[in-house]
Amino acid sequence: MWCGVITLFPEMLAALQYGITGKAIKKQLLNVVCWNPRDFTQDKHNTVDDNPYGGGAGMVMMAPSLCAAIAAARQTAPQPPTVIYLSPQGKSFQQKTAEILLEKKALILLAGRYEGIDERVISQQVDEEWSIGDYVLSGGELAAMVMIDVITRLIPGTVGDEDSITQESLTSGLLKYPQYTRPEDFQGARVPDVLLSGNHAAIARWRLKQALGRTWLKRPDLLAKKPLSNQELELLMEFVAEQTEIDRGTDNE
Ligand code: 9D3
């Protein structure tokens, strides 16, 4: 995966050197290259922003240096890249989006600052516009890093443990089951017996039931989207029945 990032703050992308993305870079499964529009300015003050025509608050990133940076990135890309503008106006970036973008192999991610970028850059250079959620960031860099992180985890060979990938696919679209590690007893709170039983079928069944139950409790919106098999429905009904007993047992009504 090749990612060219257009940013006024290339140092921010150093965060990708850590953890799974860091490993992917070392293994050359991921290549992140930054271009700073400031390096493509012509004036002596290296101006990258200016006031909006028509007036109003804030500054707008200027087209000439932005487009020169994009042109430089295009020249370095190993294949014709998809140019993505990270913006609050974009479509909502989801796991499915990452799967599709992974197939593109070469992306240019345009991170804006200030109030945004000159509209002509969008109409002339941008293929797709993505947002990472309905909240206000200070700029596109964190959004670009979020996208790169999510996409990188989908590159074969990056998320080391093949077992956890298989497990994840079995419970896809669900929240994670509860996890425990040593000690067996922490301040009187014990690890569920089934996890100590060594009965792998019983453990798998318990985990799927917990994953279904937690999703029902905490993210019913996810469950509504997921078609359930008969076994999954049965496990969920068991969980709901047990949950109802627990609710009755407490004195909160
Ligand atoms: C308060 C400023 N807003 C005035 C109506 C507009 C605005 C401009 C620039 C809001 C945020 C930003 C900077 N945000 C991004 O560059 C951004 C972003 C985001 O803020 N939320 C979710 N996804 C993204 S992707 C890029």
Side-chain angles (χ1 to χ4, degrees):
M1 191 77 205
W2 184 92
C3 294
V5 182
I6 312 298
T7 170
L8 290 174
F9 300 120
E11 292 85 357
M12 285 184 71
L13 280 290
L16 294 171
Q17 302 298 320
Y18 296 88
I20 286 171
T21 49
K23 277 218 175 97
I25 291 167
K26 281 172 204 124
K27 288 190 188 175
Q28 296 190 35
L29 296 168
L30 172 66
N31 190 3
V32 180
V33 196
C34 289
W35 277 270
N36 189 340
R38 205 172 294 282
D39 297 334
F40 296 87
T41 51
Q42 306 274 0
D43 66 314
K44 77 168 178 182
H45 295 294
N46 303 126
T47 312
V48 292
D49 63 321
D50 207 340
N51 302 301
Y53 278 116
M59 303 294 272
V60 176
M61 286 180 79
M62 299 164 76
S65 53
L66 262 179
C67 284
I70 295 168
R74 282 189 195 275
Q75 293 217 322
T76 309
Q79 59 179 271
T82 298
V83 179
I84 293 173
Y85 176 40
L86 292 315
S87 104
Q89 282 95 47
K91 285 185 291 178
S92 167
F93 177 79
Q94 304 285 310
Q95 192 69 30
K96 181 75 209 162
T97 320
E99 287 171 21
I100 294 164
L101 292 180
L102 175 68
E103 298 309 315
K104 308 228 178 229
K105 307 290 185 211
L107 303 176
I108 292 177
L109 303 178
L110 176 48
R113 282 276 152 175
Y114 315 114
E115 281 307 298
I117 70 178
D118 189 302
E119 187 66 23
R120 293 165 292 187
V121 178
I122 302 174
S123 54
Q124 292 176 18
Q125 300 290 338
V126 171
D127 299 310
E128 302 178 5
E129 215 171 324
W130 293 102
S131 159
I132 61 163
D134 293 338
Y135 36 76
V136 181
L137 296 173
S138 306
E141 287 81 5
L142 286 171
M145 286 191 274
V146 165
M147 286 181 58
I148 292 169
D149 187 275
V150 178
I151 292 167
T152 301
R153 298 175 54 80
L154 299 174
I155 304 173
T158 53
V159 181
D161 187 357
E162 291 300 317
D163 254 23
S164 77
I165 297 166
T166 324
Q167 198 60 46
E168 238 166 64
S169 76
L170 287 175
T171 56
S172 74
L174 297 176
L175 299 185
K176 187 84 182 171
Y177 50 77
Q179 300 184 99
Y180 300 85
T181 187
R182 291 192 305 160
E184 252 180 66
D185 184 308
F186 176 65
Q187 297 177 350
R190 288 196 45 81
V191 173
D193 282 333
V194 63
L195 299 180
L196 307 172
S197 69
N199 182 342
H200 297 295
I203 292 169
R205 187 178 185 282
W206 181 86
R207 285 179 167 167
L208 179 54
K209 180 160 125 185
Q210 294 297 319
L212 288 159
R214 290 188 141 196
T215 311
W216 171 68
L217 283 172
K218 300 186 191 190
R219 290 294 305 275
D221 58 312
L222 293 182
L223 210 51
K225 280 195 273 182
K226 187 179 161 73
L228 297 183
S229 69
N230 285 339
Q231 197 222 355
E232 287 170 329
L233 202 56
E234 206 170 289
L235 287 172
L236 177 57
M237 290 191 304
E238 267 184 45
F239 184 98
V240 172
E242 287 163 25
Q243 186 64 34
T244 310
E245 270 168 47
I246 292 163
D247 286 346
R248 274 199 234 290
T250 59
D251 51 11
N252 58 359
E253 180 103 348

